[in-house]
Short mmCIF file of all heavy atoms in Angstrom, two decimals:
data_model
loop_
_atom_site.label_atom_id
_atom_site.label_comp_id
_atom_site.label_asym_id
_atom_site.label_seq_id
_atom_site.Cartn_x
_atom_site.Cartn_y
_atom_site.Cartn_z
N MET I 24 17.79 1.15 7.45
CA MET I 24 16.54 1.52 8.06
C MET I 24 15.62 1.98 7.01
O MET I 24 15.94 2.79 6.07
CB MET I 24 16.77 2.65 9.16
CG MET I 24 15.50 3.18 9.70
SD MET I 24 15.81 4.50 10.87
CE MET I 24 15.14 3.74 12.30
N SER I 25 14.38 1.58 7.03
CA SER I 25 13.35 1.93 6.11
C SER I 25 12.56 3.16 6.63
O SER I 25 12.18 3.10 7.84
CB SER I 25 12.40 0.77 5.78
OG SER I 25 13.05 -0.28 5.22
N CYS I 26 12.29 4.08 5.73
CA CYS I 26 11.50 5.21 6.27
C CYS I 26 10.39 5.57 5.25
O CYS I 26 10.55 5.32 4.06
CB CYS I 26 12.42 6.46 6.36
SG CYS I 26 13.62 6.27 7.62
N VAL I 27 9.36 6.01 5.81
CA VAL I 27 8.13 6.40 4.96
C VAL I 27 8.11 7.92 4.98
O VAL I 27 8.15 8.54 6.06
CB VAL I 27 6.86 5.73 5.50
CG1 VAL I 27 5.69 6.23 4.70
CG2 VAL I 27 7.02 4.22 5.49
N ARG I 28 7.88 8.53 3.88
CA ARG I 28 7.61 9.95 3.79
C ARG I 28 6.13 10.21 3.60
O ARG I 28 5.56 9.62 2.82
CB ARG I 28 8.37 10.65 2.63
CG ARG I 28 9.91 10.45 2.72
CD ARG I 28 10.63 11.10 1.63
NE ARG I 28 10.13 10.67 0.30
CZ ARG I 28 10.26 11.37 -0.78
NH1 ARG I 28 10.96 12.50 -0.81
NH2 ARG I 28 9.83 10.84 -1.96
N ILE I 29 5.58 11.10 4.40
CA ILE I 29 4.20 11.40 4.28
C ILE I 29 3.98 12.92 4.12
O ILE I 29 4.66 13.72 4.82
CB ILE I 29 3.36 10.93 5.49
CG1 ILE I 29 3.51 9.44 5.64
CG2 ILE I 29 1.96 11.36 5.47
CD1 ILE I 29 2.87 8.88 6.93
N GLY I 30 3.14 13.29 3.20
CA GLY I 30 2.94 14.71 2.97
C GLY I 30 1.51 14.93 2.35
O GLY I 30 0.81 13.94 2.05
N THR I 31 1.18 16.17 2.06
CA THR I 31 -0.05 16.45 1.46
C THR I 31 0.18 17.43 0.32
O THR I 31 1.10 18.24 0.34
CB THR I 31 -1.09 17.09 2.42
OG1 THR I 31 -0.57 18.27 2.97
CG2 THR I 31 -1.48 16.14 3.47
N LYS I 32 -0.61 17.34 -0.68
CA LYS I 32 -0.58 18.27 -1.87
C LYS I 32 -1.92 18.37 -2.46
O LYS I 32 -2.50 17.30 -2.77
CB LYS I 32 0.43 17.87 -2.87
CG LYS I 32 0.63 18.80 -4.02
CD LYS I 32 1.71 18.44 -4.89
CE LYS I 32 1.81 19.50 -5.98
NZ LYS I 32 2.92 19.26 -6.91
N ASP I 33 -2.49 19.55 -2.61
CA ASP I 33 -3.79 19.84 -3.10
C ASP I 33 -4.91 18.93 -2.50
O ASP I 33 -5.81 18.50 -3.22
CB ASP I 33 -3.75 19.53 -4.65
CG ASP I 33 -2.75 20.47 -5.40
OD1 ASP I 33 -2.58 21.63 -5.01
OD2 ASP I 33 -2.16 20.01 -6.41
N GLY I 34 -4.69 18.71 -1.17
CA GLY I 34 -5.76 17.94 -0.51
C GLY I 34 -5.62 16.43 -0.53
O GLY I 34 -6.35 15.71 0.09
N TYR I 35 -4.61 15.99 -1.20
CA TYR I 35 -4.34 14.49 -1.28
C TYR I 35 -3.24 14.06 -0.31
O TYR I 35 -2.33 14.93 -0.06
CB TYR I 35 -3.92 14.12 -2.74
CG TYR I 35 -5.07 14.19 -3.70
CD1 TYR I 35 -5.33 15.33 -4.36
CD2 TYR I 35 -5.97 13.09 -3.82
CE1 TYR I 35 -6.36 15.41 -5.27
CE2 TYR I 35 -6.97 13.19 -4.74
CZ TYR I 35 -7.19 14.36 -5.43
OH TYR I 35 -8.22 14.49 -6.33
N LEU I 36 -3.31 12.88 0.16
CA LEU I 36 -2.21 12.36 1.10
C LEU I 36 -1.25 11.66 0.18
O LEU I 36 -1.55 10.79 -0.65
CB LEU I 36 -2.82 11.40 2.05
CG LEU I 36 -1.76 10.78 3.03
CD1 LEU I 36 -1.21 11.73 3.95
CD2 LEU I 36 -2.47 9.60 3.68
N LEU I 37 0.07 12.00 0.33
CA LEU I 37 1.15 11.33 -0.43
C LEU I 37 1.99 10.53 0.58
O LEU I 37 2.36 10.98 1.55
CB LEU I 37 2.03 12.38 -1.09
CG LEU I 37 1.26 13.47 -1.91
CD1 LEU I 37 2.25 14.49 -2.43
CD2 LEU I 37 0.53 12.83 -3.04
N VAL I 38 2.25 9.25 0.12
CA VAL I 38 3.07 8.35 0.95
C VAL I 38 4.20 7.85 0.06
O VAL I 38 3.92 7.26 -1.01
CB VAL I 38 2.25 7.18 1.50
CG1 VAL I 38 3.16 6.30 2.32
CG2 VAL I 38 1.07 7.70 2.35
N GLY I 39 5.42 8.11 0.40
CA GLY I 39 6.52 7.81 -0.42
C GLY I 39 7.59 6.99 0.40
O GLY I 39 7.61 6.96 1.64
N ASP I 40 8.58 6.45 -0.34
CA ASP I 40 9.68 5.68 0.20
C ASP I 40 10.93 6.58 0.23
O ASP I 40 11.40 6.98 -0.89
CB ASP I 40 9.88 4.43 -0.62
CG ASP I 40 11.04 3.55 -0.13
OD1 ASP I 40 11.77 3.92 0.81
OD2 ASP I 40 11.14 2.53 -0.71
N SER I 41 11.44 6.84 1.38
CA SER I 41 12.63 7.71 1.44
C SER I 41 13.91 7.13 0.80
O SER I 41 14.78 7.82 0.41
CB SER I 41 12.96 8.11 2.91
OG SER I 41 13.31 7.02 3.62
N LYS I 42 13.94 5.77 0.68
CA LYS I 42 15.03 5.15 0.11
C LYS I 42 14.96 5.18 -1.47
O LYS I 42 15.98 4.86 -2.15
CB LYS I 42 15.19 3.64 0.52
CG LYS I 42 15.69 3.44 1.95
CD LYS I 42 15.90 2.01 2.20
CE LYS I 42 16.58 1.94 3.58
NZ LYS I 42 16.98 0.56 3.86
N ASN I 43 13.79 5.51 -1.99
CA ASN I 43 13.57 5.61 -3.39
C ASN I 43 12.86 6.89 -3.75
O ASN I 43 11.75 6.92 -4.24
CB ASN I 43 12.73 4.41 -3.92
CG ASN I 43 13.47 3.08 -3.77
OD1 ASN I 43 14.47 2.86 -4.44
ND2 ASN I 43 12.95 2.31 -2.90
N PRO I 44 13.57 8.01 -3.46
CA PRO I 44 12.86 9.35 -3.64
C PRO I 44 12.53 9.69 -5.08
O PRO I 44 11.62 10.47 -5.27
CB PRO I 44 13.96 10.37 -3.13
CG PRO I 44 15.22 9.67 -3.27
CD PRO I 44 14.95 8.12 -3.07
N ASP I 45 13.07 9.00 -6.09
CA ASP I 45 12.68 9.23 -7.46
C ASP I 45 11.41 8.50 -7.86
O ASP I 45 10.91 8.78 -8.98
CB ASP I 45 13.82 8.83 -8.37
CG ASP I 45 15.06 9.72 -8.16
OD1 ASP I 45 14.95 10.89 -7.81
OD2 ASP I 45 16.22 9.26 -8.40
N ARG I 46 11.05 7.54 -7.07
CA ARG I 46 9.77 6.81 -7.32
C ARG I 46 8.59 7.63 -6.89
O ARG I 46 8.61 8.22 -5.84
CB ARG I 46 9.80 5.43 -6.57
CG ARG I 46 8.66 4.51 -6.92
CD ARG I 46 8.80 3.24 -6.16
NE ARG I 46 9.82 2.46 -6.78
CZ ARG I 46 10.19 1.27 -6.34
NH1 ARG I 46 9.69 0.75 -5.25
NH2 ARG I 46 11.13 0.56 -6.99
N ALA I 47 7.52 7.59 -7.78
CA ALA I 47 6.40 8.43 -7.48
C ALA I 47 5.62 7.86 -6.20
O ALA I 47 5.66 6.70 -5.95
CB ALA I 47 5.38 8.27 -8.57
N PRO I 48 5.17 8.79 -5.38
CA PRO I 48 4.50 8.34 -4.15
C PRO I 48 3.10 7.73 -4.48
O PRO I 48 2.54 7.97 -5.49
CB PRO I 48 4.38 9.64 -3.33
CG PRO I 48 4.31 10.68 -4.38
CD PRO I 48 5.17 10.25 -5.51
N HIS I 49 2.64 7.01 -3.45
CA HIS I 49 1.25 6.52 -3.55
C HIS I 49 0.41 7.73 -3.21
O HIS I 49 0.72 8.54 -2.28
CB HIS I 49 0.99 5.38 -2.58
CG HIS I 49 1.76 4.22 -2.87
ND1 HIS I 49 1.44 3.28 -3.87
CD2 HIS I 49 2.90 3.69 -2.29
CE1 HIS I 49 2.37 2.34 -3.86
NE2 HIS I 49 3.19 2.53 -2.92
N VAL I 50 -0.70 7.92 -3.87
CA VAL I 50 -1.57 9.09 -3.67
C VAL I 50 -2.97 8.56 -3.21
O VAL I 50 -3.54 7.70 -3.83
CB VAL I 50 -1.75 9.93 -4.95
CG1 VAL I 50 -2.63 11.09 -4.82
CG2 VAL I 50 -0.33 10.34 -5.49
N PHE I 51 -3.41 9.22 -2.12
CA PHE I 51 -4.72 8.78 -1.55
C PHE I 51 -5.65 9.99 -1.49
O PHE I 51 -5.16 11.09 -1.09
CB PHE I 51 -4.55 8.17 -0.17
CG PHE I 51 -3.70 7.01 -0.14
CD1 PHE I 51 -2.33 7.09 0.02
CD2 PHE I 51 -4.22 5.71 -0.43
CE1 PHE I 51 -1.48 5.96 0.06
CE2 PHE I 51 -3.38 4.55 -0.50
CZ PHE I 51 -2.06 4.69 -0.23
N THR I 52 -6.87 9.76 -1.80
CA THR I 52 -7.90 10.86 -1.63
C THR I 52 -8.13 11.09 -0.13
O THR I 52 -7.83 10.24 0.64
CB THR I 52 -9.22 10.40 -2.30
OG1 THR I 52 -9.78 9.36 -1.52
CG2 THR I 52 -9.12 10.08 -3.78
N PRO I 53 -8.70 12.25 0.19
CA PRO I 53 -9.02 12.47 1.59
C PRO I 53 -9.88 11.39 2.21
O PRO I 53 -9.71 10.95 3.35
CB PRO I 53 -9.73 13.86 1.49
CG PRO I 53 -9.15 14.53 0.33
CD PRO I 53 -8.98 13.42 -0.62
N GLY I 54 -10.82 10.91 1.48
CA GLY I 54 -11.72 9.83 1.93
C GLY I 54 -10.96 8.53 2.23
O GLY I 54 -11.24 7.83 3.19
N GLU I 55 -10.06 8.16 1.33
CA GLU I 55 -9.27 7.04 1.50
C GLU I 55 -8.35 7.09 2.76
O GLU I 55 -8.22 6.24 3.52
CB GLU I 55 -8.41 6.69 0.25
CG GLU I 55 -9.22 6.30 -0.97
CD GLU I 55 -8.43 6.29 -2.22
OE1 GLU I 55 -7.41 7.06 -2.37
OE2 GLU I 55 -8.76 5.45 -3.14
N ALA I 56 -7.75 8.22 2.88
CA ALA I 56 -6.80 8.54 3.99
C ALA I 56 -7.61 8.42 5.32
O ALA I 56 -7.13 7.84 6.27
CB ALA I 56 -6.20 9.85 3.85
N ARG I 57 -8.78 9.06 5.32
CA ARG I 57 -9.62 9.06 6.52
C ARG I 57 -10.07 7.62 6.91
O ARG I 57 -10.03 7.21 7.98
CB ARG I 57 -10.83 9.93 6.30
CG ARG I 57 -11.75 9.99 7.46
CD ARG I 57 -12.93 10.96 7.13
NE ARG I 57 -13.90 10.95 8.21
CZ ARG I 57 -13.79 11.56 9.40
NH1 ARG I 57 -12.72 12.23 9.68
NH2 ARG I 57 -14.76 11.51 10.26
N ALA I 58 -10.49 6.85 5.90
CA ALA I 58 -10.94 5.46 6.17
C ALA I 58 -9.79 4.64 6.70
O ALA I 58 -9.98 3.89 7.67
CB ALA I 58 -11.47 4.85 4.88
N PHE I 59 -8.58 4.80 6.19
CA PHE I 59 -7.40 4.07 6.75
C PHE I 59 -7.12 4.45 8.15
O PHE I 59 -6.93 3.58 9.05
CB PHE I 59 -6.23 4.25 5.82
CG PHE I 59 -4.98 3.65 6.39
CD1 PHE I 59 -4.78 2.34 6.37
CD2 PHE I 59 -4.02 4.45 7.07
CE1 PHE I 59 -3.65 1.75 6.95
CE2 PHE I 59 -2.93 3.93 7.60
CZ PHE I 59 -2.71 2.54 7.62
N LEU I 60 -7.06 5.74 8.41
CA LEU I 60 -6.69 6.24 9.77
C LEU I 60 -7.71 5.80 10.82
O LEU I 60 -7.41 5.40 11.91
CB LEU I 60 -6.49 7.68 9.78
CG LEU I 60 -5.21 8.19 8.94
CD1 LEU I 60 -5.18 9.75 8.92
CD2 LEU I 60 -3.94 7.62 9.59
N LEU I 61 -9.03 5.90 10.41
CA LEU I 61 -10.09 5.53 11.33
C LEU I 61 -10.04 3.99 11.53
O LEU I 61 -10.26 3.54 12.72
CB LEU I 61 -11.53 5.98 10.83
CG LEU I 61 -11.68 7.44 10.83
CD1 LEU I 61 -13.07 7.76 10.20
CD2 LEU I 61 -11.64 8.06 12.30
N GLY I 62 -9.71 3.27 10.52
CA GLY I 62 -9.62 1.81 10.67
C GLY I 62 -8.43 1.46 11.57
O GLY I 62 -8.52 0.52 12.41
N ALA I 63 -7.31 2.20 11.39
CA ALA I 63 -6.14 1.87 12.25
C ALA I 63 -6.38 2.20 13.68
O ALA I 63 -6.10 1.44 14.61
CB ALA I 63 -4.97 2.70 11.78
N LYS I 64 -7.17 3.29 13.95
CA LYS I 64 -7.49 3.70 15.34
C LYS I 64 -8.48 2.68 15.91
O LYS I 64 -8.50 2.48 17.15
CB LYS I 64 -8.15 5.11 15.31
CG LYS I 64 -7.19 6.22 15.11
CD LYS I 64 -7.88 7.56 15.20
CE LYS I 64 -6.97 8.71 15.00
NZ LYS I 64 -7.60 10.00 15.14
N ALA I 65 -9.34 2.15 15.13
CA ALA I 65 -10.32 1.12 15.62
C ALA I 65 -9.73 -0.24 15.76
O ALA I 65 -10.44 -1.17 16.22
CB ALA I 65 -11.51 1.11 14.64
N GLY I 66 -8.47 -0.49 15.46
CA GLY I 66 -7.86 -1.75 15.61
C GLY I 66 -8.01 -2.72 14.44
O GLY I 66 -7.72 -3.89 14.62
N GLU I 67 -8.52 -2.31 13.32
CA GLU I 67 -8.82 -3.14 12.18
C GLU I 67 -7.56 -3.86 11.67
O GLU I 67 -7.63 -4.89 10.98
CB GLU I 67 -9.52 -2.42 11.08
CG GLU I 67 -10.89 -1.98 11.41
CD GLU I 67 -11.57 -1.27 10.28
OE1 GLU I 67 -11.23 -1.43 9.11
OE2 GLU I 67 -12.49 -0.43 10.52
N PHE I 68 -6.41 -3.30 11.90
CA PHE I 68 -5.18 -3.90 11.36
C PHE I 68 -4.33 -4.55 12.49
O PHE I 68 -3.13 -4.89 12.18
CB PHE I 68 -4.35 -2.80 10.64
CG PHE I 68 -5.19 -2.08 9.60
CD1 PHE I 68 -5.64 -0.79 9.83
CD2 PHE I 68 -5.59 -2.71 8.42
CE1 PHE I 68 -6.39 -0.15 8.86
CE2 PHE I 68 -6.31 -2.13 7.48
CZ PHE I 68 -6.78 -0.80 7.70
N ASP I 69 -4.76 -4.62 13.65
CA ASP I 69 -4.03 -5.17 14.77
C ASP I 69 -3.53 -6.62 14.47
O ASP I 69 -2.46 -7.02 14.99
CB ASP I 69 -4.80 -5.20 16.02
CG ASP I 69 -4.96 -3.77 16.62
OD1 ASP I 69 -4.35 -2.80 16.05
OD2 ASP I 69 -5.65 -3.60 17.71
N TYR I 70 -4.26 -7.34 13.66
CA TYR I 70 -3.86 -8.72 13.36
C TYR I 70 -2.47 -8.76 12.66
O TYR I 70 -1.73 -9.78 12.74
CB TYR I 70 -4.93 -9.43 12.50
CG TYR I 70 -5.02 -8.90 11.10
CD1 TYR I 70 -4.25 -9.46 10.09
CD2 TYR I 70 -5.82 -7.85 10.81
CE1 TYR I 70 -4.34 -9.05 8.77
CE2 TYR I 70 -5.85 -7.33 9.49
CZ TYR I 70 -5.14 -7.88 8.57
OH TYR I 70 -5.18 -7.46 7.21
N LEU I 71 -2.09 -7.67 12.00
CA LEU I 71 -0.82 -7.64 11.34
C LEU I 71 0.30 -7.61 12.34
O LEU I 71 1.49 -7.90 12.00
CB LEU I 71 -0.77 -6.41 10.48
CG LEU I 71 -1.67 -6.37 9.26
CD1 LEU I 71 -1.70 -5.01 8.57
CD2 LEU I 71 -1.36 -7.49 8.26
N LEU I 72 0.10 -7.23 13.62
CA LEU I 72 1.13 -7.15 14.59
C LEU I 72 1.55 -8.63 15.08
O LEU I 72 2.63 -8.73 15.66
CB LEU I 72 0.63 -6.33 15.83
CG LEU I 72 0.23 -4.95 15.53
CD1 LEU I 72 -0.26 -4.30 16.75
CD2 LEU I 72 1.51 -4.14 15.07
N ASP I 73 0.74 -9.57 14.76
CA ASP I 73 1.04 -11.02 15.18
C ASP I 73 1.69 -11.72 14.12
O ASP I 73 1.88 -12.94 14.27
CB ASP I 73 -0.31 -11.71 15.54
CG ASP I 73 -1.03 -11.01 16.74
OD1 ASP I 73 -0.32 -10.48 17.58
OD2 ASP I 73 -2.23 -11.01 16.73
N MET I 74 2.19 -11.13 13.05
CA MET I 74 2.77 -11.84 11.96
C MET I 74 4.20 -12.23 12.32
O MET I 74 4.92 -11.64 13.04
CB MET I 74 2.82 -10.97 10.68
CG MET I 74 1.48 -10.69 10.14
SD MET I 74 1.42 -9.67 8.66
CE MET I 74 1.85 -10.79 7.50
#
């Protein structure tokens, strides 16, 4: 099973892979995180569900 770890540090969103905990997480600014979440809520990525 694949799992994603999500957390925050110093105002940044961190997204990591639980299967590779030694690998550095992807780091997103608050603006990037907000844009992604608002886009997901608006359905901008729904086309990926049809893959």
Side-chain angles (χ1 to χ4, degrees):
M24 174 181 242
S25 298
C26 294
V27 175
R28 297 183 308 160
I29 298 175
T31 59
K32 183 172 183 180
D33 299 327
Y35 291 89
L36 178 71
L37 309 175
V38 179
D40 179 356
S41 65
K42 286 189 173 185
N43 295 295
D45 294 331
R46 187 178 283 177
H49 297 283
V50 180
F51 300 94
T52 66
E55 291 169 330
R57 180 177 174 78
F59 173 76
L60 292 173
L61 290 175
K64 286 181 178 182
E67 291 181 24
F68 306 107
D69 287 356
Y70 70 93
L71 295 171
L72 299 174
D73 296 328
M74 296 178 82

